[in-house]
Amino acid sequence: MNSSARNTARLLGAGARALLVLTVLCGVLYPLAVTGVAQGLFPRQANGSEVREAGKVVGSSLIGQRYDLPLKKGQETPEPDLKWFQPRPSNGLGSNTVNTQYKLIRSGATNRAGDNEELIQWVKDAKAAVIKDNSTPGYRVPASAVPPDAVTSSGSGLDPDISPAYARLQVHRVAERNHLPVQRVEKLVEDHTQQRVLGFVGEPRVNVLALNIALRELVG
């Protein structure tokens, strides 16, 4: 074997050894170390921030899900189940067709500009539906009380939270549908309102899944 061939063989051998070492370090040891630290220090977050009810996983605190009635024959979009607090709209996104266990919302944005006629019509229709669905015989939702998150979807379509204003707007309807005092449902919303992180990061919010779990326990 001439010197050129020997040099080539040495280079190939060194490259193979480097590839093997990097594969073990970056593809095996590092992921195992990160996974071990995450499971040891942050097990809940590492496992998807699962939410349990009666010992059963019912969703994630980070992922929004729908509360709809069963799809009727001829319907393309199911109607909301109005006994539950409703999340933000997911117009144009539909529901996840792969993992349907928790009726997850499909991830994505509507990708429509603020002056898009279809988006404007969606907002108008959503506002009318919010007023109609949440008005009760003794309470009429004023148009000025409808917050932006009640009529627009989030950028991901997976927002698990709604604003306290949208949660309070739904109180009368939820109370009537579940035969509960309005004051009791208002207290439920108040108890599940999370304030800004450190007092200035983010916005006050209400996790819809946690709120509906508490509502189910209250109804019994």
Side-chain angles (χ1 to χ4, degrees), residues 72-109:
K72 297 178 182 178
K73 186 176 181 180
Q75 282 186 329
E76 293 185 3
T77 304
E79 298 174 1
D81 189 343
L82 297 178
K83 71 178 181 180
W84 303 110
F85 284 93
Q86 292 295 314
R88 296 184 65 171
S90 53
N91 296 68
L93 300 179
S95 58
N96 188 299
T97 57
V98 178
N99 182 352
T100 59
Q101 184 176 2
Y102 306 121
K103 298 182 180 179
L104 301 179
I105 303 169
R106 184 181 300 161
S107 178

Side-chain angles (χ1 to χ4, degrees), residues 90-93 107-119 122 153-157:
S90 53
N91 296 68
L93 300 179
S107 178
T110 55
N111 291 325
R112 284 164 173 77
D115 60 352
N116 180 272
E117 292 185 2
E118 187 176 24
L119 177 62
W122 279 351
S153 60
S154 64
S156 67

Side-chain angles (χ1 to χ4, degrees), residues 5-47:
R6 285 196 296 271
N7 289 335
T8 300
R10 281 197 297 270
L11 289 173
L12 289 175
R17 287 192 296 274
L19 176 62
L20 179 60
V21 170
L22 289 173
T23 298
V24 172
L25 287 175
C26 300
V28 179
L29 297 180
Y30 177 71
L32 285 176
V34 171
T35 301
V37 170
Q39 290 291 344
L41 299 179
F42 312 103
R44 180 176 175 274
Q45 293 86 340
N47 290 304

